[in-house]
Amino acid sequence: MNCPIGSAPYEPERGDTFAKIAKRFSLPLEDLLLLNPDVNPNNLTVGQAICIGNVNRPETECASGNFYVVRKGDSVYSIAQSFELSVDDIFAANPNLTENLEIGDVICIPRNPLQIEIAINIAAKTLTVYRNGVAVNEYPVATGKPDTPTPVGAFEVINKQLDPGGPYGTRWLGLSKRGYGIHGTNNPASIGTAASNGCIRMYNEDVEHLFDITNPGTVVRILP
């Protein structure tokens, strides 16, 4: 599924209509129709991917464009510490935030002062996270099939989406290369192989961690 820059794939749920999807994501219906000129709006089916714009959920409007999803055991202090920010920084970016966090809460994160870069090695099927030039995490990935290869070059993360669902798993990180992204999967057995339509697939638990430490603007270098 190749979606325009600034949009991301979405898999309709049972009973979805274009009008319901537009309302859910606070999108003008006309914009949704323009993004999907080849889709019959009267015949949406489960498993059929469409493109949606404004890909951050309506309640996730962060000035930095970056946000974090609260997990079990998190506190405001631990979240601030993981991003090398102060607690005051977190509260300043989230005026309505309290100490009583709930799993699944979305917290705005000011731009992380640490330099994060991502390198993807197509041959090795790995994604490596670099912080200030030092490799800090490495994950297995799936890359493009021979007839739908993963593009090689330097790109940037331009958008983030929670829970795109279906073949895109639990997280989506859209790249500045039109129609491509880093995402989770509903087919974990494909990780480590050339199986995608050109995107980078990760285990859902891995892409969730990557999602939370990655800012819009993060450089992504894809190597052959």
Side-chain angles (χ1 to χ4, degrees), residues 10-17 20-21 24 44-48:
Y10 172 78
E11 184 174 309
E13 302 170 359
R14 187 175 301 278
D16 263 347
T17 65
K20 287 181 180 179
I21 295 169
R24 184 179 307 144
L44 289 182
T45 59
V46 174
Q48 172 189 22

Side-chain angles (χ1 to χ4, degrees), residues 4-222:
I5 291 174
S7 65
Y10 172 78
E11 184 174 309
E13 302 170 359
R14 187 175 301 278
D16 263 347
T17 65
F18 265 44
K20 287 181 180 179
I21 295 169
K23 182 177 180 180
R24 184 179 307 144
F25 289 93
S26 297
L27 290 168
L29 178 58
E30 295 80 4
D31 289 357
L32 191 60
L33 292 169
L34 286 172
L35 276 172
N36 299 275
D38 299 323
V39 177
N40 182 351
N42 299 313
N43 190 32
L44 289 182
T45 59
V46 174
Q48 172 189 22
I50 65 171
C51 296
I52 60 169
N54 189 29
V55 295
N56 291 343
R57 295 193 307 187
E59 66 269 27
T60 308
E61 296 179 356
C62 298
S64 67
N66 194 31
F67 50 98
Y68 177 86
V69 185
V70 173
R71 303 178 185 184
K72 184 178 180 179
D74 277 341
S75 67
V76 176
Y77 175 77
S78 69
I79 293 169
Q81 189 175 46
S82 68
F83 286 94
E84 296 200 356
L85 298 167
S86 70
V87 169
D88 288 342
D89 289 333
I90 298 296
F91 279 117
N94 300 271
N96 298 319
L97 186 67
T98 72
E99 293 280 0
N100 299 317
L101 302 181
E102 295 187 8
I103 295 172
D105 282 349
V106 178
I107 295 179
C108 293
I109 302 295
R111 291 280 182 175
N112 187 349
L114 296 178
Q115 184 63 41
I116 301 292
E117 288 195 5
I118 295 170
I120 295 162
N121 188 309
I122 295 174
K125 303 293 185 290
T126 58
L127 182 152
T128 305
V129 177
Y130 290 87
R131 178 170 284 173
N132 292 338
V134 178
V136 292
N137 294 103
E138 183 175 283
Y139 305 101
V141 300
T143 57
K145 295 175 288 190
D147 57 338
T148 54
T150 297
V152 173
F155 312 104
E156 291 185 356
V157 173
I158 61 168
N159 58 48
K160 300 170 65 174
Q161 183 187 357
L162 291 166
D163 300 321
Y168 308 106
T170 58
R171 300 289 187 271
W172 165 271
L173 294 165
L175 300 180
S176 53
K177 176 69 174 177
R178 181 188 177 100
Y180 294 89
I182 301 168
H183 60 78
T185 184
N186 63 354
N187 182 17
S190 68
I191 301 301
T193 71
S196 78
N197 289 327
C199 288
I200 307 300
R201 290 183 192 171
M202 303 178 69
Y203 290 121
N204 286 327
E205 58 267 30
D206 290 345
V207 78
E208 288 170 13
H209 180 257
L210 181 68
F211 179 97
D212 282 343
I213 64 172
T214 302
N215 296 320
T218 295
V219 173
V220 178
R221 303 185 189 280
I222 303 181

